[in-house]
Amino acid sequence: MSSITLLPTSLPVVDLAQADDPATRDAFHEGLHRAARDTGFFHLTGHGIDAAEFARILRLTREFFALPKADRLALSNLRSPHFRGYTRIGHELTGGRSDWRDQLDVGAERPAPVVGPDDPAYRWLEGPNQWPDALPELRTVVLDWQDRLAAVAHRLLQELLSSIGAPADFFDAAFAERPHLHTKLIRYPGSAPEGDGQGVGAHKDYGFLTLLLQDSVGGLQVRLGDGFVDVPPLPGAFVVNLGELLEIATRGYLSATDHRVVSPPGAVERYSVPFFYNPRLDARIDTVPGAYLADAPGVAQSADNPLHAEYGRNELKGWLRAHPRVARLHHPELVA
């Protein structure tokens, strides 16, 4: 029995529950390996998150963006040296161009760090979140969501390593303490007035694994071959993609894949909740051992997007690029 299902979608569908059954475990690993190697993107089912949990987080996402504008702006990320909070429409950049979306960025709830002159600047990426007083349920639900998805992502990462013939626990120590969890609540408010379709521009994720919950509207596109293909929503599934650190860790055997979101038409709104599973900020990403390395092509470096083996440096690179207003306001010494 194959663990990879072909449905009317551009991506393979991988059932994590098949990893628990000795009768399907080998086929599951074969399918997961193929999906990760060939596309770096796939739908994930069998994850144990039920429909009620999906509905609750999407409901609260809609309720957050339905709050009065003043309530959302009170949480502006311009107030946060940790890049947490609300980003208004058009104020995040991808590829140097404005993305037509607004969002709330949430991380692990921690006190503001004391960052000394000799400390790595990426320590600023930890700190407190900003929450709306008018929607107190949001804090509890989003932080619980992060914990639930961290468990799913950790299991998936272990199975992925097993699927390429590597030690399943190779990264356990990097995630054991202070993993850098990150959730976005995102709204795409239809097309920009000038007709630009960039909901979010083509990019790769900075870390290890992303688990995306999207609503029924669609708009996600993934680069396959020479172009981009649509990824229609699959009810009950997460869209999973690999980040740049897995590319570094496997010397390019697994690679991060470009993806983007095309704005929905007219005044149609689209909501999504991506979760990013990443290790502690000071974790250095060593090469994962295994026979697969004989087929690893090496990491393709780009002057426009340098890859760093120290996770915090790779993450900070992305925040400075995407949120230059926050960077100039709180970290002018880091802005070239």
Side-chain angles (χ1 to χ4, degrees), residues 222-229:
V222 173
R223 184 183 295 279
L224 292 180
D226 295 331
F228 284 88
V229 299

Side-chain angles (χ1 to χ4, degrees), residues 101-155:
R101 65 178 187 175
D102 54 350
Q103 63 194 33
L104 181 71
D105 282 290
V106 174
E109 191 69 79
R110 292 175 181 146
V114 177
V115 182
D118 296 326
D119 291 330
Y122 58 66
R123 289 199 60 213
W124 284 109
L125 297 178
E126 289 192 331
N129 296 300
Q130 300 191 71
W131 302 104
D133 293 336
L135 196 58
E137 184 185 2
L138 189 68
R139 184 184 192 277
T140 301
V141 170
V142 173
L143 293 180
D144 178 66
W145 180 259
Q146 284 197 146
D147 289 342
R148 296 274 283 136
L149 265 62
V152 174
H154 189 68
R155 171 72 188 283

Side-chain angles (χ1 to χ4, degrees), residues 33-192:
H33 184 176
R34 188 163 62 251
R37 175 79 170 119
D38 292 350
T39 67
F41 262 85
F42 51 90
H43 292 287
L44 184 72
T45 62
H47 41 65
I49 309 296
D50 63 34
E53 292 174 279
F54 274 53
R56 181 175 63 171
I57 193 78
L58 284 173
R59 171 181 62 81
L60 284 167
T61 297
R62 293 186 183 97
E63 289 179 7
F64 171 75
F65 290 106
L67 291 174
K69 184 178 181 180
D71 288 13
R72 287 178 277 123
L73 289 178
L75 312 178
S76 171
N77 65 349
L78 295 176
R79 301 175 53 197
S80 171
H82 320 293
F83 297 86
R84 304 288 177 82
Y86 175 70
T87 303
R88 63 196 302 173
I89 296 170
H91 279 217
E92 183 180 45
L93 305 181
T94 302
R97 298 173 57 214
S98 294
D99 297 322
W100 196 248
R101 65 178 187 175
D102 54 350
Q103 63 194 33
L104 181 71
D105 282 290
V106 174
E109 191 69 79
R110 292 175 181 146
V114 177
V115 182
D118 296 326
D119 291 330
Y122 58 66
R123 289 199 60 213
W124 284 109
L125 297 178
E126 289 192 331
N129 296 300
Q130 300 191 71
W131 302 104
D133 293 336
L135 196 58
E137 184 185 2
L138 189 68
R139 184 184 192 277
T140 301
V141 170
V142 173
L143 293 180
D144 178 66
W145 180 259
Q146 284 197 146
D147 289 342
R148 296 274 283 136
L149 265 62
V152 174
H154 189 68
R155 171 72 188 283
L156 179 61
L157 178 59
Q158 289 183 323
E159 299 295 351
L160 178 58
L161 292 176
S162 293
S163 78
I164 65 171
D169 62 353
F170 186 77
F171 290 118
D172 282 8
F175 286 88
E177 295 182 12
R178 304 180 75 85
H180 195 70
L181 310 181
H182 177 208
T183 301
K184 287 178 180 281
L185 309 184
I186 302 175
R187 173 179 63 170
Y188 296 89
S191 300

Side-chain angles (χ1 to χ4, degrees), residues 97 100 188 190-192 194-201 219 260-264:
R97 298 173 57 214
W100 196 248
Y188 296 89
S191 300
E194 62 273 18
D196 186 359
Q198 178 171 308
V200 61
R260 66 188 185 189
V261 173
V262 176
S263 295

